Amino acid sequence: MIVAEQKPMEEIAEMIKDFNKILILGCGGCVSVCLSGGEKEVGIMASALKMFVKNNQNRDIEIKEMTISRQCDWEYFDMVKDAMAEVEACVCIGCGAGVQGLVDVYPNVPIFPGLNTGGLAVGKVPGVWEERCAGCGNCILHLTGGLCPIARCSKHILNGPCGGSEKGMCEVDPKTIECVWHLIYERLKSIGKLDNIYKIMPMKDWSTSSDGGVRHLTREDMAKLDAEEEHKKNVELEKKAEEAEAAAKSQG
Amino acid sequence: MSDHQEQVAVKEKPAEGFVPKIVAFTCNFCAYAAADLAGSTRTEYPVNIKLIRVPCTGRVDVVHLLKAFEHGADGVYVAGCLEGNCHFAEGNYWAKRRVRYAKKILDEIGVGSRRLEMFNLSAAMFGRFVEVANIMNDRITEMGPSPLNKK
């Protein structure tokens, strides 16, 4: 899931200093699970923010509290239409994608981020989350026994471990950071795939990560076109198929 | 425990001089029974402490503690069972963690973490209940009204 943590109250109060009626909008998805942006956290932030503003900016503000199931799909944004019309600004405590989703739908309402979004993580023990995926767009987990060196190695190296691995810990912080290449070695050993570690991995193709601007994911069969456009596309594809058929016949 | 109950608990008329408004979240199985016992034995404790009975201190959430301050409390404390003696096994440990978290928020917003505290006592310890009530009353009286009530 996506993990995030709350911004300092001072920073949030500074963002909303010109507004008196605010909506704090939570998300029932990932940030709810990592206890930073769900319904309960909306309540806590609303109460704390009211007191902070009264204490430090000497004024009373009105806060509306709402939480929607997800902040990354259009159909849920409609649910806050009425609330958005009533308020002057919105503090969104979803992930960064949530904030920008709202910005697209409500161009006239200032939307502020209430969280710092961390990354893709799993829960280790209750209350502790650790990053597991860097979203690089080119997965190599099948080669590394299911443990990711891109997300979990401090140097992101592909042919480890490096000289800084000692007793299974990383030199960057030997107390808290495990050497993922040590873990990969142990894991490959236990599943009988130790020969994988002798294979030299070539330089990683980063074109799927940060090359070519914003990344899009498209499923053509799900992407809805308008009827006219769809008809045109179908005619075009049929024409191409006929041509291919004719070419195959003439060759045969 | 409703918001209404919380508001009623803290909206008393202030007496002459500063009398702090203190809200105590008390566990049904220990602190609340201890308060009852204090009453039965005619032991006095400060009258400006308003008790809110909860089924277990594990029911008390950070938002309840903050709401109490928001609605005008000068001090808040949570009184739960002795550690290891919770009726619901570990509700009082949860409460202690939440009090610690709420203390951080109180420092951040400028109310001050000393205005919130967690205590542990048993149903028989009515003397300790009175002592705790006096500790909080003295501390908050000395600190003065919550910065939110000054404005």
Side-chain angles (χ1 to χ4, degrees):
Chain A
M1 76 184 137
I2 296 165
V3 291
E5 64 182 344
Q6 214 173 75
K7 277 182 176 290
M9 208 48 73
E10 204 177 341
E11 200 179 333
I12 301 171
E14 178 64 24
M15 294 175 201
I16 57 148
K17 68 172 192 285
D18 298 326
F19 306 101
N20 292 317
K21 216 171 170 188
I22 288 140
L23 168 70
I24 296 188
L25 186 61
C27 173
C30 314
V31 291
S32 195
V33 183
C34 73
L35 309 174
S36 56
E39 203 172 345
K40 203 177 235 185
E41 290 72 34
V42 168
I44 293 172
M45 184 187 269
S47 185
L49 194 58
K50 258 187 238 172
M51 288 193 273
F52 185 94
V53 168
K54 191 171 183 185
N55 214 1
N56 295 283
Q57 296 176 359
N58 223 347
R59 65 192 180 104
D60 287 311
I61 52 169
E62 199 182 312
I63 295 185
K64 233 177 142 54
E65 301 169 27
M66 278 185 97
T67 305
I68 50 176
S69 305
R70 281 209 302 275
Q71 288 191 2
C72 42
D73 274 316
W74 309 114
E75 49 267 48
Y76 296 106
F77 292 137
D78 264 359
M79 294 175 184
V80 292
K81 199 162 55 184
D82 296 339
M84 281 289 190
E86 281 175 33
V87 296
E88 296 166 10
C90 168
V91 174
C92 162
I93 56 171
C95 67
V99 176
Q100 294 175 69
L102 279 169
V103 165
D104 287 345
V105 179
Y106 298 104
N108 301 323
V109 184
I111 315 276
F112 302 113
L115 302 180
N116 288 323
T117 308
L120 303 167
V122 296
K124 282 193 88 180
V125 291
V128 179
W129 294 269
E130 195 175 85
E131 189 173 11
R132 285 286 184 271
C133 177
C136 70
N138 187 6
C139 196
I140 52 160
L141 288 174
H142 57 297
L143 302 171
T144 56
L147 301 161
C148 181
I150 304 297
R152 296 172 68 181
C153 169
S154 304
K155 296 175 181 172
H156 317 298
I157 56 174
L158 285 169
N159 296 289
C162 70
S165 172
E166 201 177 326
K167 291 179 187 153
M169 301 305 278
C170 169
E171 66 176 340
V172 170
D173 186 353
K175 280 187 192 136
T176 59
I177 305 174
E178 287 173 306
C179 169
V180 77
W181 274 105
H182 178 91
L183 296 175
I184 290 169
Y185 176 82
E186 296 293 343
R187 168 83 179 154
L188 290 175
K189 199 159 88 177
S190 71
I191 59 170
K193 289 272 182 193
L194 206 50
D195 50 323
N196 271 10
I197 210 148
Y198 296 111
K199 289 178 192 157
I200 305 295
M201 274 196 241
M203 273 193 294
K204 188 172 168 61
D205 175 10
W206 285 101
S207 66
T208 51
S209 176
S210 50
D211 181 65
V214 63
R215 291 186 283 180
H216 289 91
L217 180 71
T218 314
R219 268 276 304 258
E220 277 189 18
D221 55 332
M222 296 302 289
K224 212 173 158 187
L225 303 168
D226 69 57
E228 207 176 313
E229 220 174 304
E230 185 141 10
H231 177 67
K232 256 193 221 168
K233 198 177 176 186
N234 286 342
V235 168
E236 216 172 276
L237 288 173
E238 272 165 31
K239 209 174 157 188
K240 264 190 196 166
E242 272 170 25
E243 278 170 14
E245 183 77 21
K249 264 186 191 170
S250 68
Q251 269 181 10
Chain B
M1 174 193 44
S2 65
D3 249 9
H4 174 72
Q5 214 176 335
E6 250 171 61
Q7 284 176 22
V8 168
V10 294
K11 277 188 180 165
E12 291 287 317
K13 275 186 188 168
E16 275 182 27
F18 171 60
V19 179
K21 294 166 193 162
I22 299 175
V23 175
F25 291 91
T26 51
C27 161
N28 179 49
F29 294 95
C30 55
Y32 196 80
D36 205 21
L37 196 56
S40 304
T41 54
R42 297 181 185 271
T43 319
E44 271 186 44
Y45 64 89
V47 290
N48 51 320
I49 288 172
K50 310 295 175 191
L51 303 187
I52 294 178
R53 180 165 66 153
V54 288
C56 170
T57 47
R59 177 67 188 88
V60 181
D61 193 72
V62 177
V63 76
H64 299 132
L65 303 171
L66 294 182
K67 285 274 178 200
F69 284 105
E70 193 187 322
H71 289 302
D74 296 301
V76 175
Y77 68 92
V78 180
C81 299
L82 294 170
E83 291 190 6
N85 280 358
C86 174
H87 193 76
F88 299 99
E90 48 187 37
N92 51 356
Y93 292 124
W94 281 107
K96 196 159 258 183
R97 276 184 231 135
R98 287 173 190 152
V99 164
R100 262 202 302 265
Y101 183 70
K103 270 171 167 280
K104 259 193 225 169
I105 296 177
L106 290 176
D107 268 339
E108 198 182 353
I109 62 178
V111 172
S113 58
R114 283 188 72 227
R115 293 184 182 275
L116 174 65
E117 211 55 76
M118 166 96 196
F119 298 99
N120 299 91
L121 60 158
S122 80
M125 294 162 74
F126 70 94
R128 175 66 180 154
F129 177 83
V130 173
E131 192 185 327
V132 158
N134 282 323
I135 290 173
M136 276 312 272
N137 190 37
D138 292 348
R139 184 194 290 183
I140 306 299
T141 308
E142 189 196 311
M143 287 175 83
S146 154
L148 299 164
N149 298 342
K150 283 180 195 159
K151 283 164 186 165

